[in-house]
Amino acid sequence: MKMLYQRLLAPHKIEYIEIDSNFAIAGFSPNVLNYADCPKAVKLGEDARLGFPELVGSEQCLHDALGGRQTHFEIEGIVRPHAGSHPIYLNLHILAGEVETEEAQTLIVCFENVTEKMLIQQKMRQHANETELLARSLAASQAYIHKIITSMADALLVTTLEGSIKTLNPAALDLLECTEEELMYQPIAKIIPPEDLATIQRDRGTTEIAYQTPSGQLKYLAFSRSTMQADVEDWRSIIYIGRDITELKQAKLALQQANEELTRHNQELQQQSSLDPLTGLHNRRHLENFLDEAIRTAQIQNDGLSIAMLDVDHFKHFNDTFGHAAGDAILQEISRSLQQSIRTYDLACRYGGEEFLLVLQRITPEIAKMRIEQMRHHIKKLQVHYGEKLLGSITLSCGIAHFPDNGSTAEELILAADRALYAAKEGGRDRAIVAS
């Protein structure tokens, strides 16, 4: 190896290739393959640019160096992908030289691995940037926190771990109607009673207190509590945030009272809207929802369900003979009898005029027919008086329909029961007919 090579390479661990005027490789160090972009292309006589593409575009500089017009030049910051956690960084140095035959001028292209140096520089720059950002952030945070404390609308009180007030903001002075001298270094228990302090510390939530100002005004205040941890003992503190909830408390109380009144009123309206005012039975509006739900339940539980439509025979005769008030008395007496005869999960409703409808759940067609006959005979035995007058025997015509034999919807069942009722009327009244 020539003296020039030795002077250049001896002090450093540098790999090299030697190229001629046609950029063909005239020689190379064995480990230079580790720095090649394409190691397979690094062969004697091959174009050096195939293995080291960074030489592409530098041909004029290479010719100048070969012609003696330029002694050397460098390319820094070459990056090679690597299987490790980071790439390899290289600096390329090119010097003019001669092959030993001295038949042609050659160039020595040296590759210096500067990965460690680059990583150190990157870390130093990163640390420097982080330090500068941290310093700026701390300064900005201090100014920002001070601005927040002084301008926040909520009261802020900061105490020591023992509970002595050491910092407060203007909003706290306004809320508590005290001066800074009156509050600084005073125990927080002077504002928040000890039992509420224990509650807020245990539940880590918010506590509401009744606070009487020095002027005698009663306020309702809400306080939240949090602990500020720090490595420096003097910085460890307890932070209390408070606000005036007097108006909110009063509004909540008024709203609660209004809601209770509205609930009572709605319940009364709902009950009134679902009940027939004359008989006290449920009306058709309630029947629609009840019957739909009863059908769904029967489908799910595979239970029996029957409905019966009942009509008072010769009701017009009662009205014409004794008056409409007497007719109302008959309807009321029938309603009481029906309501007493059904179970808690059945329904009796006034369907309209002198017509009633019963919904009987969890029942077979045979038992439903028997139950309707019992009700009909019981009503027939009633002694209904209006004033001093006995109004006479009351008979009912009834039509019975069963789910799902006579219909799978409320409309189909009611239509089937109505047809059976018509058949009972046509058959001479005072009887119950089951839909076919």
Side-chain angles (χ1 to χ4, degrees):
M1 184 180 289
K2 294 182 179 182
M3 295 299 297
L4 176 62
Y5 295 3
Q6 295 175 357
R7 289 197 304 270
L8 177 64
L9 304 179
H12 309 285
K13 293 181 180 180
I14 297 177
E15 306 300 329
Y16 74 93
I17 62 172
E18 189 175 3
I19 62 175
D20 61 19
S21 59
N22 294 320
F23 307 112
I25 299 175
F28 59 87
S29 61
N31 291 331
V32 80
L33 297 177
N34 296 330
Y35 301 155
D37 184 67
C38 182
K40 293 181 179 180
V42 181
K43 298 178 181 179
L44 294 177
E46 291 287 344
D47 192 324
R49 290 170 291 187
L50 297 177
F52 303 93
E54 49 274 351
L55 296 176
V56 176
S58 303
E59 288 83 356
Q60 186 59 49
C61 294
L62 295 173
H63 281 299
D64 289 344
L66 285 168
R69 294 180 295 277
Q70 186 171 342
T71 57
H72 71 280
F73 69 90
E74 300 177 350
I75 301 176
E76 296 184 346
I78 299 172
V79 182
R80 288 277 189 269
H82 188 259
S85 59
H86 53 74
I88 296 176
Y89 296 93
L90 303 172
N91 285 346
L92 185 150
H93 307 275
I94 299 178
L95 299 173
E98 291 182 353
V99 295
E100 294 183 357
T101 60
E102 298 184 357
E103 294 177 352
Q105 183 75 16
T106 62
L107 290 177
I108 302 171
V109 182
C110 300
F111 295 90
E112 180 184 6
N113 188 337
V114 294
T115 302
E116 185 176 353
K117 177 182 177 181
M118 290 293 292
L119 293 177
I120 292 174
Q121 289 178 350
Q122 288 176 0
K123 288 182 179 179
M124 291 179 63
R125 285 195 295 269
Q126 182 179 355
H127 290 325
N129 291 337
E130 289 175 353
T131 301
E132 183 179 357
L133 287 174
L134 181 59
R136 291 180 181 178
S137 178
L138 286 174
S141 296
Q142 289 177 346
Y144 185 64
I145 291 173
H146 178 73
K147 185 176 181 180
I148 290 176
I149 291 175
T150 56
S151 62
M152 65 187 295
D154 289 337
L156 171 70
L157 297 102
V158 182
T159 73
T160 63
L161 297 180
E162 292 75 25
S164 177
I165 299 173
K166 62 179 182 179
T167 303
L168 43 80
N169 67 347
L173 301 178
D174 293 339
L175 178 66
L176 303 173
E177 297 184 13
C178 296
T179 64
E180 186 173 352
E181 291 75 17
E182 291 173 331
L183 293 176
M184 283 295 290
Y185 310 113
Q186 296 296 315
I188 190 67
K190 184 177 180 180
I191 300 168
I192 305 176
E195 59 272 17
D196 292 309
L197 284 174
T199 299
I200 193 175
Q201 182 176 0
R202 182 184 65 250
D203 299 339
R204 297 181 180 179
T206 301
T207 188
E208 297 179 0
I209 65 168
Y211 172 78
Q212 189 168 18
T213 67
S215 62
Q217 180 185 1
L218 181 63
K219 291 183 177 181
Y220 291 97
L221 309 179
F223 278 97
S224 61
R225 175 191 185 275
S226 61
T227 302
M228 184 173 69
Q229 302 291 350
D231 294 334
V232 181
E233 185 174 356
D234 290 345
W235 290 359
R236 298 172 190 166
S237 307
I238 300 175
I239 301 172
Y240 295 90
I241 304 293
R243 63 178 56 185
D244 190 345
I245 60 169
T246 304
E247 292 184 1
L248 179 62
K249 196 84 170 178
Q250 294 171 344
K252 282 184 177 180
L253 181 60
L255 180 61
Q256 181 181 353
Q257 294 173 344
N259 283 337
E260 291 174 354
E261 182 65 27
L262 182 60
T263 300
R264 287 194 296 270
H265 185 62
N266 285 338
Q267 290 173 344
E268 292 174 358
L269 288 177
Q270 186 175 5
Q271 186 176 18
Q272 292 173 5
S273 67
S274 66
L275 295 179
D276 175 60
L278 175 64
T279 63
L281 297 181
H282 287 289
N283 57 23
R284 290 181 66 171
R285 177 184 299 177
H286 181 78
L287 168 68
E288 292 173 358
N289 296 329
F290 185 90
L291 184 53
D292 287 338
E293 184 62 30
I295 291 174
R296 281 193 292 270
T297 302
Q299 288 174 328
I300 294 172
Q301 299 181 358
N302 197 26
D303 278 340
L305 172 68
S306 292
I307 71 167
M309 187 170 288
L310 295 73
D311 184 86
V312 182
D313 295 330
H314 306 296
F315 184 71
K316 185 175 183 300
H317 171 74
F318 285 107
N319 280 338
D320 293 342
T321 304
F322 302 105
H324 288 282
D328 290 346
I330 290 175
L331 295 177
Q332 290 170 342
E333 194 65 33
I334 293 173
S335 298
R336 278 192 290 270
S337 177
L338 293 176
Q339 190 65 49
Q340 293 170 0
S341 301
I342 62 174
R343 299 162 297 181
T344 55
Y345 46 82
D346 294 331
L347 176 73
C349 76
R350 185 183 181 190
Y351 195 69
E354 67 272 21
E355 287 186 331
F356 300 87
L357 194 143
L358 303 180
V359 180
L360 306 177
Q361 302 189 80
R362 308 175 197 172
I363 199 167
T364 64
E366 296 76 17
I367 297 178
K369 175 70 162 52
M370 182 183 68
R371 293 279 307 282
I372 295 301
E373 289 288 8
Q374 290 173 347
M375 296 180 198
R376 191 174 63 82
H377 286 294
H378 177 75
I379 291 173
K380 190 174 183 179
K381 296 177 181 178
L382 291 177
Q383 298 292 315
V384 182
H385 291 81
Y386 179 70
E388 297 181 355
K389 298 178 182 179
L390 179 63
L391 300 182
S393 178
I394 303 170
T395 63
L396 298 177
S397 296
C398 308
I400 305 170
H402 190 72
F403 170 87
D405 300 340
N406 305 122
S408 58
T409 66
E411 292 79 8
E412 292 172 353
L413 285 175
I414 292 174
L415 181 60
D418 188 56
R419 288 173 178 169
L421 172 62
Y422 180 78
K425 290 282 189 182
E426 289 293 310
R429 295 184 172 86
D430 189 20
R431 68 193 61 209
I433 299 294
V434 178
S436 57

